[in-house]
Amino acid sequence: MDLTVLWVLLPLVTVAWGQYGDWYPYQQYQQYQDYSDDGWVNLNRQGFSFQCPHGQVVVAVRSIFSKKEGSDRQWNYACMPTPQRLGEPTECWWEEINRAGMEWYQTCSNNGLVAGFQSRYFESVLDREWQVFCCRYSKRCPYSCWLTTEYPGHYGEEIDMVSYNYDYYMRGATTTFSAVERDRQWKFIMCRMTDYDCEFANA
């Protein structure tokens, strides 16, 4: 489905969900980050730091690749408020740096949810290092976790990832790096969260 059409339809889905619970009220939809072609958070070969507004998490990722611009990507993200039953974030932090030119797997520690990304480009590697910004909601715990399909499907293609699964949240990502194509493929870690506090270790 064309992303523009999906972005137009998403508020209608939100309204339908809102009739059956406290999931993403429509009136908060106007707070979402700009997700159009003009809304890139970086230029090629430029670092960036993106954080969702307080109480929101990342629900969509878009990116385009440019071979001539250092085999780099421009990035864009969209955020949504979490449902009221999760409460307010009790703590937020940046995870450790994932180095350029390497494969990596990153899940938010302390059962956090992804609320932003930070990245810096390295000309010598033609790749980026990454940090994930995470927020914890009381002592809610993840369950029923799964990995999305690969984004992009092939190196060099556009990335359009929208999380439209009810009640699933992004908790991290895993990436593979091609030394030939100088590009990455991403899989995002999606989980449901309990409605109650639970005991957990730093996972």
Side-chain angles (χ1 to χ4, degrees):
M1 179 185 293
D2 183 84
L3 186 63
T4 304
V5 175
L6 180 58
W7 215 242
V8 171
L9 293 178
L10 195 55
L12 302 179
V13 177
T14 302
V15 170
W17 281 339
Q19 294 174 353
Y20 299 98
D22 62 352
W23 181 256
Y24 300 158
Y26 173 70
Q27 58 267 28
Q28 293 179 314
Y29 189 80
Q30 301 304 320
Q31 300 175 11
Y32 300 165
Q33 300 295 318
D34 182 7
Y35 201 70
S36 65
D37 286 337
D38 297 328
W40 304 114
V41 298
N42 69 297
L43 300 174
N44 290 118
R45 309 182 191 190
Q46 180 190 69
F48 70 86
S49 182
F50 173 88
Q51 293 182 39
C52 293
H54 181 77
Q56 299 189 24
V57 292
V58 174
V59 295
V61 180
R62 188 178 186 201
S63 178
I64 54 174
F65 180 79
S66 175
K67 190 81 171 176
K68 67 178 182 180
E69 292 291 342
S71 295
D72 194 23
R73 285 183 171 273
Q74 288 181 275
W75 293 88
N76 199 354
Y77 303 94
C79 304
M80 273 183 159
T82 54
Q84 292 179 357
R85 59 182 173 73
L86 281 187
E88 291 291 313
T90 52
E91 181 185 6
C92 294
W93 64 92
W94 287 102
E95 292 287 352
E96 294 186 2
I97 294 174
N98 295 285
R99 300 298 179 187
M102 301 177 64
E103 297 182 0
W104 52 265
Y105 180 101
Q106 177 73 70
T107 303
C108 286
S109 58
N110 294 322
N111 293 335
L113 303 177
V114 175
F117 289 92
Q118 184 168 271
S119 181
R120 189 164 57 137
Y121 178 79
F122 288 87
E123 193 82 40
S124 59
V125 191
L126 298 181
D127 189 32
R128 290 178 166 273
E129 68 176 20
W130 289 87
Q131 280 182 283
V132 179
F133 185 67
C134 303
C135 290
R136 180 169 62 123
Y137 286 76
S138 189
K139 290 188 176 181
R140 300 295 197 266
C141 292
Y143 68 100
S144 297
C145 299
W146 56 281
L147 285 172
T148 65
T149 57
E150 291 180 331
Y151 291 92
H154 301 281
Y155 292 112
E157 294 181 347
E158 185 172 333
I159 293 175
D160 278 326
M161 195 291 290
V162 179
S163 174
Y164 49 85
N165 288 288
Y166 176 74
D167 226 13
Y168 276 88
Y169 307 90
M170 186 185 298
R171 290 211 59 242
T174 179
T175 75
T176 57
F177 178 69
S178 170
V180 176
E181 301 294 336
R182 315 310 294 184
D183 192 21
R184 290 185 174 274
Q185 286 182 308
W186 296 68
K187 290 183 179 180
F188 298 96
I189 304 163
M190 311 298 295
C191 297
R192 302 188 73 177
M193 300 295 286
T194 59
D195 293 336
Y196 52 86
D197 287 354
C198 53
E199 296 299 323
F200 64 91
N202 285 349

